[in-house]
Amino acid sequence: MHGFLVFLKKEFREILRTWRLWVLPAIMIVVAIISPVFAKITPALLESVAGETPGYVFEVPDPVTVDSYLQFWANAIQMGILGVIIVAAGGIAGERKNGTAILVLTKPVSRGAFVVAKAISNSVLFLAATIIGAAVCVGLTIVMFDSSGIADFAVSTALLYLLGVVFISITLLLGVAIKSQAGAAGASLGAFLAVSLLSIWGPARDYTVAGLMVAGDRILRGDEVALLWPVLTSVVLIVLCVGGAVLLFRRKEL
Amino acid sequence: MPNVVELRGLTKTFGDFRALDGVDLDVPEGSVFGFLGPNGAGKTTTLRILTGLANQTSGTATIFGHDVQADGSLARAELGFLPDVPGYYSWMTAREFLLFTGQLFGLSGSALDERVASLLEMSGLTDVKTKVGGYSRGMKQRLGIAQALVNAPRLLMLDEPTSALDPMGRKDVLEMIAALKGKTTVFFSTHILNDVERVCDYVAVLDRGRIIKQAPIDEFKNQGGACRIMLEVTSDTEAFVEMLAGEAWASECHAEGALIHCVVSDLQVARERVPALVAQRGIGLVRLADEERTLEDVFVGMVGGDV
């Protein structure tokens, strides 16, 4: 893959010097801060609302540590993945729109190197954002609750990261297929909704990537979750999407 | 001279539309080659195929003998390219962008630093420390040529390098191209005839996807033996223009103030007949002179004036 390392280095410098540096970490930090806070105050809020209704008794259990992590999972799986899609959509579609892809690809840089560098840089960015977000969430949770449940939270966060990489790959593929950045983002959001709906159906949840949509929640609640098929199909999907993006991009006219 | 670029039967279709229709073209090594044609003639499509951005429907295209489809990387390693609207990473400075493009060609260390410094000097961007996003169009175009030269290419391809520039920007870019004469082969597309006349030594005219003519520029201008004359008469200028226009050897006659310009098919006949016509009209001849035929005259005659 001609030019891969030079282009990958450019990708990381671009992340450090543009808006891309702030979007995903900011989303994950916001999620990390609001999750334990909401988990802590939600019962009190509900009780105060219920208390204003005469004759209505509303009992809410006291918040526990796992509520904070469940809240993080619920928020991150929506806001985090949405952020991943927005950032990844700007990768290939953005460079095609701005004309930078033409200047780069008329040099001895293979289109495969171009696509794979985009996939890796976005995945590393999301990894950093996920680690930062998870660390902030754990810290606040320990302060506001206690230090229990960190192992399960780590597993659920790893699954969240894998799901994020799945959507980076899907978005890159769609960014090659669809010229417009907004179109690629919109189609990826459609894919996210489709996977979310699939997760309701038992067989899809047990044997496909759709299982990742709910796996973290179930693990945090203490359920036994078989991860082999969801993880395996996710890895296969990542390889297929990135490989498909490379093959499709090689045939695309710019 | 060996050919740097060779196109044989190059055809590109978009549905029923034939953007290129069996193009044959040879670009000699060391030439500054003007690829001339009206808008929509297929110039950019040809360059996109040569640079690997698009694929031909049929025919072959080679650069230094490398087939651009089969050996795209080898072909691209030998060339520098500036698209018609170059896109840059707006967060980079000119120096950073040139270092980046140099590294894509495998350059590094002091050789790259020296190369970048000389290109910044050549493009007048040495002291510009702002990011590329804030550059004027002319600065971007100069940077575009600099990045196309970063690998000291044997072939420099420029797509409409002056079309979007103001007169000063255009002058700068043409001077940069002229300075490369004898150092590298320059192949540039344009619809601006004056640019071709100023810097090119070879021309090919493309119209509706077909090469109409390819020749050295002097041969091109003398095509068909036609040339221009300029004359001035003492009075009745407009009436004398009409009189000239009635002659079989004269065409495109028109007056500009007191001067009359004509394209003539036979210069000797014109020299003999003009004084006779003046005498017949009963007016005086102030002067009669040959004029160099412009590329525009030839071009308009070829493609019907749609420039």
Side-chain angles (χ1 to χ4, degrees), chain B residues 240-250 253 277:
Chain B
F240 193 68
V241 166
E242 282 180 28
M243 198 171 176
L244 278 173
E247 296 292 312
W249 45 268
C253 296
L277 289 170

Side-chain angles (χ1 to χ4, degrees), chain B residues 68-81:
Chain B
V68 296
Q69 268 196 332
D71 303 320
S73 265
L74 291 173
R76 290 198 299 277
E78 305 265 21
L79 70 87
F81 175 61

Side-chain angles (χ1 to χ4, degrees), chain A residues 1-172:
Chain A
M1 289 201 293
H2 290 283
F4 172 71
L5 287 177
V6 175
F7 192 71
L8 183 63
K9 196 172 139 197
K10 187 280 296 179
E11 282 291 299
F12 285 130
R13 285 172 61 209
E14 187 165 26
I15 286 170
L16 291 173
R17 291 174 60 177
T18 64
W19 60 273
R20 287 170 68 194
L21 177 66
W22 303 106
V23 174
L24 280 178
I27 288 173
M28 296 305 284
I29 288 170
V30 167
V31 165
I33 292 171
I34 63 172
S35 297
V37 172
F38 274 26
K40 192 78 176 176
I41 67 170
T42 298
L45 278 175
L46 288 173
E47 279 178 0
S48 70
V49 171
E52 290 170 2
T53 312
Y56 189 76
V57 179
F58 194 78
E59 285 189 12
V60 182
D62 288 338
V64 291
T65 312
V66 74
D67 291 335
S68 170
Y69 295 140
L70 282 168
Q71 193 76 50
F72 178 84
W73 171 267
N75 292 330
I77 205 134
Q78 291 176 31
M79 292 167 65
I81 301 297
L82 178 66
V84 158
I85 287 172
I86 289 169
V87 170
I92 292 173
E95 293 231 22
R96 286 173 70 186
K97 180 170 171 273
N98 299 336
T100 45
I102 287 180
L103 274 192
V104 170
L105 293 170
T106 49
K107 297 179 170 47
V109 178
S110 72
R111 297 197 182 192
F114 191 91
V115 172
V116 174
K118 292 277 176 195
I120 290 176
S121 62
N122 281 311
S123 299
V124 170
L125 174 63
F126 186 54
L127 178 64
T130 304
I131 290 172
I132 292 168
V136 171
C137 183
V138 167
L140 278 176
T141 302
I142 290 172
V143 170
M144 298 172 76
F145 295 92
D146 58 45
S147 60
S148 64
I150 292 178
D152 285 346
F153 178 67
V155 174
S156 73
T157 304
L159 296 175
L160 170 73
Y161 175 67
L162 182 61
L163 191 64
V165 177
V166 166
F167 279 97
I168 286 170
S169 310
I170 290 173
T171 309
L172 284 178

Side-chain angles (χ1 to χ4, degrees), chain A residues 254, chain B residues 5 7 10 12 14 17-21 23 25 27 33-54 61 81-84 157-163 187-193 195-196 200 203-213 299 303 306-307:
Chain A
L254 299 177
Chain B
V5 175
L7 307 181
L10 196 71
K12 176 70 177 177
F14 297 100
F17 176 67
R18 290 175 90 80
L20 295 176
D21 191 3
V23 169
L25 186 73
V27 178
F33 196 105
F35 194 39
L36 188 59
N39 292 329
K43 303 185 296 293
T44 296
T45 303
T46 306
L47 290 181
R48 286 176 64 234
I49 290 171
L50 281 168
T51 50
L53 295 172
F81 175 61
L82 173 67
D84 53 349
M157 291 206 292
L158 312 168
D159 189 8
E160 303 271 5
T162 59
S163 60
F187 178 61
F188 80 94
S189 73
T190 184
H191 63 273
I192 303 172
L193 299 162
D195 291 356
V196 173
C200 291
V203 188
V205 173
L206 186 73
D207 186 38
R208 296 182 186 91
R210 292 182 179 195
I211 295 286
I212 298 176
K213 173 89 177 169
F299 187 80
V303 303
D306 182 22
V307 197

